[in-house]
Amino acid sequence: MTAVKPAAKGSCDNASPMPTVVPTIIQPSLAAILSLPPGISGETPASLAAWIGEHGEPSFRVRQVLDAAWRTGAASAAEITTLPAPLREALATAFRWDTVADSELRLSDGGGTEKALHRLGDGIVVESVLMHFPASAGHRERNTLCISSQAGCAVGCPFCATGELGFGRDLLTAEILDQVRHAARRVAARGRRLTNIVFMGMGEPLLNLDRVLEAVEALNDPKRFGLGARHITVSTSGVVPGIRRLTALGPQFTLAVSLHAARDPLRDVLVPLNRRWPVADVVAAAREHAAATGRRITYEVTMIDGVNDTDLDAVAMATLLRGDLAHVNLIPMNPVAHTPWTASPMPVIDRFAARLRGAGIETTIRHNRGQEIGAACGQLAADHAGAPTPAVVAHRRERLVAQSAAALRGERSREPVPAGVGPGARGGNE
Ligand code: SAH
Ligand code: SF4
């Protein structure tokens, strides 16, 4: 296992004399993790049936194994006492029963938010966040789990702790699903169940789309997790070919698009893959998705003081989304280290919301959960990875201030497209 420079921090700093923000993430190859036995939760009923058949066992064993993995909360194959001992042993050798292990749990919001730092088989760490929302007028209790699809992220949004880490690797299907099995066991111990799953943890799901789709299929499957498609949300920073692929597949889940800005000069800075897929193309693809699936698009806007909360930006967003089948969530920026930015004040967010509503756009102001445990995406993993030097941080801050000031003047970024999302990048091909 070697510590290497993150693949995609070039989005920040190619032409700079300063080093890019620290090589904070251990980047093992996917090959190392693929050499381990596969995780049981990545197996489909068909692949498990084939394996059971090869071992000369009757087909009803498939159901027993799936129930043990997904329903009873068995912690190992050895616990499935309904199976003959030789089959239990063969299962334990052929599959990893759990590909994530909670190395650290942190509680906040009076226990209503629980952040888990999961250490994977190769030592890399990812996060999931479990949020409990008590029943309120007209709403049932919700237990929402936010999961990661990649370790780190190539997109490099400068207000996001995961973006600062750079790209580590794609998660395997079982690693995505085992975050869910872990949380499901924790909530079951409290007599509750998971009601919603959102792909809003670390990583860009549409750049690991094959595995994310396999994971969604398992979450939907009544023989496995059995959660309705309406209770699953996948959030993307705007990978246009991925959105088009989802449109061709039909409704699978709610699609959320991290918009953050409706003007290209500013979105180039806030979401660097905008330099590859400009905001008009992203919204056009999302619009086609809504038209084809009949499902409303959710747009996420992280509100940053004096950066994307101006009247100019509210008008641009209202103009862009007017008449769309869309819902906008305005979310005050969670504090993250190493940015010059803070959350917009509430009166400013209220004014922004009023502008959007005035254009007939459904808008909700959301409050971030778990700030004191670093519930911003990737924050806890970033803390574990260690801090960059003060000089690097100061340089990063100066650059972001200069870039957002240029964006306010309407100047497009001259920074390159981040390495992991440029032409030829996996998942990024048209
Ligand atoms: N990569 C995907 C999904 C993971 S990020 C995406 O960007 O959509 C999930 C959400 O968390 C995104 O909307 C992202 O903009 C938001 N986010 C990241 N850092 C944040 C912060 N510091 N404060 C508030 N929201 C943040
Ligand atoms: Fe990646 Fe999403 Fe964070 Fe941007 S906000 S760096 S796309 S995880």
Side-chain angles (χ1 to χ4, degrees):
M1 215 157 53
T2 347
V4 295
K5 205 170 103 172
K9 293 317 288 183
S11 60
C12 300
D13 219 328
N14 270 7
S16 162
M18 292 294 291
T20 52
V21 173
V22 283
T24 42
I25 203 163
I26 305 289
Q27 190 184 348
S29 73
L30 204 52
I33 198 77
L34 287 171
S35 68
L36 299 173
I40 190 77
S41 40
E43 297 300 312
T44 62
S47 69
L48 207 51
W51 187 91
I52 291 280
E54 279 162 23
H55 286 74
E57 290 286 339
S59 56
F60 67 84
R61 298 283 184 220
V62 176
R63 179 88 227 193
Q64 286 178 308
V65 175
L66 287 176
D67 279 354
W70 290 101
R71 301 267 150 86
T72 63
S76 68
E79 285 181 24
I80 321 173
T81 48
T82 48
L83 300 181
L87 183 58
R88 291 203 296 261
E89 278 158 33
L91 275 170
T93 311
F95 300 104
R96 284 184 293 154
W97 200 255
D98 194 355
T99 58
V100 308
D102 284 351
S103 58
E104 197 175 325
L105 275 183
R106 286 194 199 168
L107 299 179
S108 73
D109 299 321
T113 303
E114 188 175 294
K115 190 151 188 166
L117 193 68
H118 303 287
R119 193 170 299 279
L120 307 183
D122 53 2
I124 206 160
V125 286
V126 295
E127 302 171 11
S128 65
V129 182
L130 176 62
M131 289 159 284
H132 173 66
F133 300 93
S136 60
H139 292 284
R140 291 192 181 157
E141 169 189 291
R142 275 178 301 134
N143 294 295
T144 300
L145 181 70
C146 173
I147 56 175
S148 296
S149 56
Q150 296 179 315
C153 183
V155 179
C157 306
F159 56 86
C160 169
T162 305
E164 191 182 347
L165 284 172
F167 181 63
R169 69 165 168 86
D170 288 330
L171 297 197
L172 304 179
T173 308
E175 291 169 334
I176 298 172
L177 289 168
D178 282 346
Q179 298 168 60
V180 177
R181 285 173 63 223
H182 253 268
R185 285 199 290 272
R186 300 201 303 272
V187 292
R190 294 163 209 155
R192 295 186 173 131
R193 57 180 198 87
L194 288 180
T195 56
N196 298 76
I197 294 177
V198 298
F199 285 73
M200 292 191 179
M202 298 173 78
E204 170 46 58
L206 269 50
L207 290 177
N208 190 15
L209 189 50
D210 289 339
R211 295 190 181 96
V212 165
L213 286 172
E214 283 173 6
V216 168
E217 191 187 321
L219 294 175
N220 261 177
D221 183 359
K223 290 189 184 135
R224 287 178 279 172
F225 196 64
L227 186 67
R230 285 182 185 279
H231 299 276
I232 302 170
T233 299
V234 174
S235 176
T236 180
S237 53
V239 180
V240 169
I243 298 174
R244 293 210 185 107
R245 198 176 144 198
L246 293 176
T247 306
L249 287 174
Q252 315 274 318
F253 41 69
T254 299
L255 184 66
V257 173
S258 295
L259 188 59
H260 306 312
R263 299 183 299 117
D264 279 322
L266 181 56
R267 199 165 187 273
D268 283 351
V269 176
L270 297 182
V271 189
L273 62 61
N274 195 73
R275 299 167 204 158
R276 174 130 198 244
W277 294 294
V279 67
D281 293 1
V282 174
V283 171
R287 208 172 268 149
E288 279 164 26
H289 185 83
T293 61
R295 302 281 292 274
R296 196 174 67 165
I297 301 291
T298 301
Y299 287 101
E300 309 282 328
V301 182
T302 296
M303 299 297 289
I304 311 173
D305 188 18
V307 173
N308 64 348
D309 60 1
T310 63
D311 284 344
L312 180 69
D313 287 294
V315 170
M317 203 169 285
T319 308
L320 182 67
L321 300 182
R322 190 188 292 271
D324 279 7
L325 186 57
H327 186 106
V328 175
N329 285 328
L330 303 179
I331 306 149
M333 187 187 124
N334 249 325
V336 286
H338 318 148
T339 79
W341 300 329
T342 53
S344 305
M346 208 38 86
V348 174
I349 300 181
D350 284 335
R351 198 169 67 220
F352 199 98
R355 286 249 186 211
L356 295 182
R357 290 183 189 125
I361 301 161
E362 270 183 49
T363 306
T364 307
I365 299 174
R366 302 232 177 255
H367 297 278
N368 259 330
R369 295 286 294 263
Q371 291 198 357
E372 72 270 30
I373 53 160
C377 141
Q379 183 75 67
L380 200 56
D383 288 351
H384 266 245
T389 64
V392 169
V393 172
H395 181 68
R396 175 178 157 86
R397 289 199 168 118
E398 272 167 33
R399 287 169 51 75
L400 289 174
V401 168
Q403 285 177 355
S404 48
L408 201 59
R409 295 192 299 272
E411 293 166 17
R412 288 293 298 265
S413 168
R414 288 193 295 272
E415 302 273 339
V417 175
V421 295
R426 179 194 34 76
N429 296 320
E430 299 280 348

